[in-house]
Amino acid sequence: MAARRKAREARRQRRTRCCRWCCIRLAVVALGSVFSSVLLVLSHMESVQHGKSFAVSHAGSVHHAKKEPEVFEKTARKPVTSLLRGAMEKDDDRPPRHATGERYVPPPQEEVKNDLPSLQEIVSTLQNFLNEVHRAFGRAKRKTREEVWAAYVAVAETHLLPFERRVHKSKRPVRDDGSIFVSIAAYRDHMLANTLTELFTHAAKPESIIAGVVQQNCVVKCKTGVQVVSKPGEPVRTKVSDAPADADGVAEFCASAVGQPHCRAGRVRVLRVNETESLGPAFARYLASKLWLGEQFYVQIDAHMWARDAWDDELRREMTATPSYPRSVMSAYPPGPSNGWQSMAPSGKLCSGTFSTSPVEAHIFRLGGGGGGRNIAAPAPEPPRSIFVGAGFFTAHSSFLQVAPFDPFLPFVFMGEEIMLTTRFYTNGFDVYSPRVNFFAHQYRPGRLGLPKFWESQDRAFGSGGSNTRFMLMIVDRVKHMVGYESPVKNPDVLNHVNDKDGPNYGLGSHRSLQEFLHFA
């Protein structure tokens, strides 16, 4: 009897242990299912919350002092339905899987004909590139200028060139709706908000205007530019002082009664760059050109401008009146903002220039405004022909971006931008004209104002005065070689990626030769 009782007790204990183990396993599986469901819900909520397409984004790897208002581009979004607990996607009229017993097969994806990047992807790519360049330059702080250039190219080949080749192959179409894209590269500019206000308030059709802004601001540990503190007649004395954080011109405009409707409609696209990552006007204008999304006309201006009344209608009329339209580009040096500038005659065709005698400017060709070129003047009903393209203002049919896109391999470069633009437009078959009216007025800024310059930021970033000039004197050979200078190239590596077989052409075109341009000019 004792043996049978002991055997029954042993069997009961085994059953108890087995039941307990089964219960534990069932509890673990149930908890795992609940936990997975919670994660799916949270992921779903996050994707809905952050699914918008940013038209304004911060770029740079340096700390930002405060969070600025964000502007969004309006995009149509597909409704999202929950996929929890066997729910099906509501994109067709098929019955639920459990009603048919069939396994659900997703519909085939349509083939994408044009691999066009979205604005959100463009901004993200440029942000990532700037961040990587910033890190690479930090590692190359005490290196030679050849090593700094190699570091830049290595980052570009990894993080930028694949994107550039994709954009080149996709060839975003140019619309024919009268829309105007305005490229604005702003370096610590206190007049940016005013310039945006001028663009939209003086436009006859503001709904057709898109501003593409590269805002390069200082947020922390800011400095003024080099200020001249000596009096006239005294030996020149200068100083650099601490300065407050720069005003966010885009946020200021978007918070105003004038700017709010335009920003909400996605008419202001912005890439924010910390001043320590500013690499000069040529590179900033490359960044701004990437914010173009198919608008018919392309306009490049500075961030300290005024606009005439109905400037957009005047610009469309002038451009379409040129005999070679759409293969035409129009440029001038705008007048200063004196009284009556809108009714003043334009300052003259850009038909003259001189070679700089300064070694700091690499003896580059500099344009001169006003006069000249009367032998190529067009009849009165047409805008007159001109020769050179100024960087402070030009406008062209946006198709030029497909054959002569902006060159991302010109960091640190300031001088040489205009002769490069001129020869690239000409050799790609674009004729240059001078406007018969002043579309814009420009604030010309004497050096005594002490406004900050991008090369001062780079000198501080690399820890030595003259760093930017040292880099520029090497990299500007890319421009000089392109436009026919016979001086030797200091570093042949600066000529890489001018015209890769599988990528965009950053050099001269094949429609007309450089010799033809020199003869014409």
Side-chain angles (χ1 to χ4, degrees), residues 49-79:
Q49 182 178 358
H50 297 291
K52 294 184 178 180
S53 173
F54 284 95
V56 172
S57 182
H58 291 278
S61 58
V62 184
H63 298 292
H64 294 279
K66 58 182 180 179
K67 184 177 181 180
E68 302 294 355
E70 294 170 334
V71 184
F72 298 94
E73 183 190 31
K74 288 188 175 179
T75 55
R77 297 181 62 249
K78 184 178 178 180

Side-chain angles (χ1 to χ4, degrees), residues 398-445:
S398 295
S399 57
F400 85 91
L401 292 169
Q402 298 175 348
V403 295
F406 285 81
D407 187 355
F409 289 94
L410 292 173
F412 310 108
V413 170
F414 178 66
M415 306 305 300
E417 185 183 10
E418 294 176 322
I419 188 61
M420 177 187 64
L421 283 171
T422 298
T423 53
R424 293 189 69 202
F425 269 117
Y426 185 90
T427 57
N428 278 287
F430 284 74
D431 292 332
V432 184
Y433 296 87
S434 182
R436 294 171 294 181
V437 295
N438 294 316
F439 302 123
F440 303 103
H442 181 275
Q443 183 189 58
Y444 293 93
R445 297 173 165 182

Side-chain angles (χ1 to χ4, degrees), residues 32-181:
S33 300
V34 172
F35 184 66
S36 299
S37 300
V38 171
L39 287 179
L40 282 173
V41 172
L42 292 176
S43 176
H44 170 68
M45 293 174 63
E46 184 177 2
S47 66
V48 173
Q49 182 178 358
H50 297 291
K52 294 184 178 180
S53 173
F54 284 95
V56 172
S57 182
H58 291 278
S61 58
V62 184
H63 298 292
H64 294 279
K66 58 182 180 179
K67 184 177 181 180
E68 302 294 355
E70 294 170 334
V71 184
F72 298 94
E73 183 190 31
K74 288 188 175 179
T75 55
R77 297 181 62 249
K78 184 178 178 180
V80 179
T81 56
S82 174
L83 299 179
L84 299 180
R85 294 188 177 275
M88 61 173 289
E89 291 183 344
K90 302 299 182 181
D91 58 354
D92 55 29
D93 296 326
R94 280 176 292 188
R97 289 188 297 252
H98 60 77
T100 63
E102 296 178 355
R103 183 178 180 183
Y104 175 69
V105 179
Q109 296 293 325
E110 294 183 3
E111 182 180 354
V112 179
K113 296 181 179 180
N114 289 318
D115 186 21
L116 298 173
S118 66
L119 180 61
Q120 182 180 4
E121 184 178 358
I122 292 168
V123 170
S124 176
T125 300
L126 297 177
Q127 284 179 336
N128 184 49
F129 173 68
L130 289 168
N131 291 340
E132 293 299 327
V133 168
H134 185 73
R135 295 188 186 99
F137 282 172
R139 294 188 294 268
K141 192 170 185 179
R142 302 297 180 184
K143 304 291 186 178
T144 66
R145 62 183 182 180
E146 289 79 12
E147 290 172 312
V148 171
W149 172 252
Y152 178 85
V153 172
V155 174
E157 288 175 341
T158 303
H159 298 280
L160 194 63
L161 273 184
F163 169 76
E164 281 287 284
R165 289 167 181 152
R166 175 185 164 193
V167 171
H168 171 69
K169 291 177 181 178
S170 62
K171 293 193 182 302
R172 189 183 297 274
V174 180
R175 301 198 299 272
D176 189 24
D177 55 1
S179 54
I180 300 176
F181 176 86

